[in-house]
Amino acid sequence: MEFNGQIVLITGASSGIGKQLAIDFAGRGAVVIGCGRSITRLKEVLKQVRQSNPESVMMACDVSDSEQVQGMIEKILTDFGRVDILINNAGIGMRKPFAETSLSTIEEIIRINYLGAVYCTHALLPSMIAQGGGHIVNISSGAGKIGTLNMAAYCASKFAMNGWSESLYHELQPLGVKVSLVCPGPVHTGFSRAFQNSEPQSPPALFVGSGVVSQAVMQVIERDRFERIVPRWLALMCWLQRLSPALFRYLAHRRFRPYVTGLENRRS
Ligand SMILES: NC(=O)c1ccc[n+]([C@@H]2O[C@H](COP(=O)([O-])OP(=O)(O)OC[C@H]3O[C@@H](n4cnc5c(N)ncnc54)[C@H](OP(=O)(O)O)[C@@H]3O)[C@@H](O)[C@H]2O)c1
């Protein structure tokens, strides 16, 4: 599919999956507007993106701050007139027992991963409804489908995103605005750098490149699909979990149990 002239707003475009999306969408003819907090990294991505589409821009914006988001959307609508595709991708991760996670960390994760998407969508939606169409793609995670050990706050943020997306799908379809959800498994990015030594870790063989996620995003738009879970092994796991939740929870518990470190120490 080509996206010639379409205006695509990607949050978290300064690295990882968002950077890949920015390069790929620009490569297919879209005008890319990327945002993130790191101006240095955004500038580097912009250089690559402009090789394909010189009209593209990057904007500094912390999506967890609703006023910054409102300001960014107003500027985009003034400068470009519309946004055709919004990709809510910005996110942070963590891997730590819940009891050892500070409330400020939990709040930060919910504010960036879930409320960040809510703020961007809420600010942009009136213009999409007025223009009679648009597509919102939310980048969730396998952790938005399956509760994972030591990722309670992260899972909560992505489960929230999934329920919100499904609800919006029904609400916005009659208004011409499409909503899709992409749930990746582990992806080779800098995402887990800060917690790479904590357990349980995903086996390296299960990681995919960010291009796989970028392709899945393009496919949900092109094929007008609500959801894609990538890669296939994760889609199969999610299907099994839906089919037999109790059995799946039992098997997951057996896999996770050896990693519940320090529990006995904390009890004594
Ligand atoms: N990598 C994985 O294994 C994996 C698996 C499943 C789902 N995901 C999801 O994929 C998305 C992208 O992750 P990634 O793997 O590409 O990680 P990444 O390389 O760390 O990129 C995260 C992006 O989000 C941006 N960001 C973080 N906080 C932000 C904020 N408050 N405001 C604006 N931008 C913010 C970062 O930019 P700045 O630092 O410049 O702000 C960066 O561009 C996330 O939603 C993540 O949950 C990742």
Side-chain angles (χ1 to χ4, degrees):
M1 186 180 190
E2 295 308 313
F3 295 93
N4 290 333
Q6 295 209 32
I7 309 220
V8 183
L9 170 57
I10 302 166
T11 70
S14 61
S15 65
I17 295 167
K19 175 181 175 181
Q20 185 73 50
L21 284 165
I23 292 167
D24 291 351
F25 269 97
R28 299 236 197 147
V31 177
V32 170
I33 305 165
C35 83
R37 295 164 302 178
S38 163
I39 294 169
T40 316
R41 285 203 300 266
L42 286 172
K43 277 184 182 163
E44 282 167 19
V45 178
L46 187 60
K47 266 191 223 155
Q48 293 186 55
V49 166
R50 281 203 169 151
Q51 286 170 8
S52 305
N53 195 313
E55 286 178 75
S56 297
V57 295
M58 295 284 155
M59 301 171 88
C61 177
D62 180 341
V63 296
S64 68
D65 179 333
S66 60
E67 285 184 13
Q68 282 192 39
V69 169
Q70 189 63 41
M72 173 181 73
I73 299 295
E74 279 169 15
K75 175 149 180 51
I76 291 169
L77 292 177
T78 304
D79 293 353
F80 292 87
R82 65 178 206 284
V83 170
D84 300 299
I85 298 169
L86 163 66
I87 305 176
N88 287 309
N89 165 74
I92 57 167
M94 53 84 68
R95 192 158 51 215
K96 209 175 189 184
F98 178 73
E100 294 168 17
T101 310
S102 69
L103 286 178
S104 61
T105 299
I106 294 166
E107 285 165 358
E108 186 189 20
I109 288 170
I110 299 292
R111 253 200 313 271
I112 296 176
N113 293 8
Y114 172 56
L115 288 177
V118 170
Y119 295 154
C120 291
T121 303
H122 198 264
L124 192 61
L125 202 47
S127 70
M128 278 191 169
I129 293 171
Q131 78 204 19
H135 204 134
I136 299 163
V137 184
N138 295 323
I139 307 299
S140 180
S141 168
K145 292 279 179 186
I146 296 167
T148 310
L149 185 78
N150 291 348
M151 295 186 104
Y154 182 72
C155 285
S157 72
K158 295 299 187 179
F159 268 71
M161 179 177 249
N162 290 10
W164 171 69
S165 302
E166 194 164 334
S167 186
L168 275 190
Y169 170 86
H170 296 298
E171 205 175 308
L172 299 181
Q173 206 190 35
L175 302 172
V177 179
K178 294 165 183 175
V179 178
S180 299
L181 188 64
V182 173
C183 301
V187 186
H188 281 298
T189 65
F191 182 72
S192 55
R193 205 176 288 130
F195 51 93
Q196 62 188 352
N197 296 323
S198 54
E199 300 285 2
Q201 293 180 26
S202 304
L206 296 185
F207 279 72
V208 297
S210 51
V212 171
V213 185
S214 173
Q215 206 177 7
V217 169
M218 299 215 175
Q219 280 174 359
V220 292
I221 297 171
E222 185 182 20
R223 297 177 189 175
D224 198 4
R225 290 265 172 84
F226 171 65
E227 185 178 80
R228 268 299 303 276
I229 302 171
V230 284
R232 270 175 218 269
W233 65 262
L234 180 63
L236 181 67
M237 264 177 68
C238 293
W239 178 77
L240 283 175
Q241 191 262 353
R242 251 197 134 111
L243 199 69
S244 183
L247 174 65
F248 190 87
R249 198 160 37 246
Y250 169 76
L251 294 172
H253 189 67
R254 280 179 55 134
R255 145 112 172 95
F256 290 145
R257 185 71 201 169
Y259 300 108
V260 186
T261 50
L263 189 63
E264 279 69 28
N265 297 346
R266 286 204 295 274
R267 272 206 195 110
S268 56

